[in-house]
Amino acid sequence: MMTSSASVKVELRERTDAYVVATWRRIMLLVWHGQATVAGVERSRALFQPWAARQPGGAAFLVVVPRQRTGPPDEATRAAMQRAASATGGYLKGMATLVEAEGFIAASVRALMMRLQARGTQGPAPNIFRTPAEVAAWAAAVLQDREVTPEQLAEAIRAAREG
C-alpha cells in the first residue's frame, strides 16, 4: 500500500497497533507507536531482508522510537533486536535509531541503546540520533543519496506513522 504527501511516497509494508513498517527511497522504517515488541522486531527483519536485497547499492534500516514515554524493551525483545542487528547481509548499509524525545530521560535512553546495539553486532555499526536532520545526514552519506533530506525524511516518518 502506498501513502504519499506532497513531497514523498512511502510504501506501507505492515501496520499493527504497535508499529508500522514502511519503505521510503532505500530506507526501511520501523515506526513504533509505543512499546517495542518481539513480533515487531522479527516482522521488520523478515520484511527487510528480501526488500533490501533488491535495492541497487543496498539499503538502510531506521527504527523510530516515539516521543511518548515507553519502558525499556523486555529481555525477549532485546534478544530479538540483537539477532536482527547481527543477521545482516551485504545489502545492509547501516542501521539507525531515532529517539524523538528530548531531555535527560531521552539522552539516557539513547546512551543505553548504543550499549545494547553495539554489543554482539557483526554488521554496520548502529547509530542513535535525536533529530530527523541527523538521521538524514547519516543516511544520505551511507546510501550515497543526496535526495535524502531532513525535510523529506521527517515527512516520510510522518506519512508512515499516519498512513
Side-chain angles (χ1 to χ4, degrees):
M1 171 196 291
M2 289 291 259
T3 184
S4 63
S5 68
S7 60
V8 301
K9 289 185 181 173
V10 174
E11 186 172 347
L12 297 176
R13 303 287 175 152
E14 186 166 297
R15 171 180 293 287
T16 72
D17 290 341
Y19 64 87
V20 174
V21 178
T23 54
W24 173 69
R25 302 192 64 75
R26 292 177 15 225
I27 302 171
M28 181 168 277
L29 307 163
L30 170 57
V31 182
W32 294 106
H33 294 302
Q35 189 67 39
T37 64
V38 172
V41 172
E42 290 178 348
R43 283 295 299 147
S44 64
R45 176 182 170 191
L47 292 166
F48 180 78
Q49 291 177 340
W51 172 81
R54 293 189 308 270
Q55 302 307 306
F61 190 90
L62 174 62
V63 177
V64 181
V65 178
R67 285 181 183 87
Q68 71 264 26
R69 189 172 165 181
T70 61
D74 60 28
E75 187 62 36
T77 304
R78 282 194 302 272
M81 289 173 172
Q82 287 190 333
R83 284 191 305 275
S86 63
T88 61
Y91 46 78
L92 176 63
K93 297 302 176 189
M95 294 180 71
T97 301
L98 171 61
V99 179
E100 295 181 311
E102 293 291 330
F104 177 77
I105 299 293
S108 298
V109 167
R110 283 189 285 275
L112 174 64
M113 290 180 76
M114 282 296 278
R115 283 197 312 268
L116 284 174
Q117 287 186 355
R119 204 179 327 153
T121 61
Q122 298 167 354
N127 298 280
I128 311 296
F129 298 105
R130 62 183 184 88
T131 67
E134 293 171 345
V135 176
W138 166 83
V142 165
L143 297 172
Q144 299 178 355
D145 182 351
R146 285 187 252 166
E147 293 186 35
V148 175
T149 66
E151 298 78 19
Q152 287 192 339
L153 178 61
E155 183 63 19
I157 293 167
R158 186 203 61 73
R161 184 176 278 134
E162 295 175 3

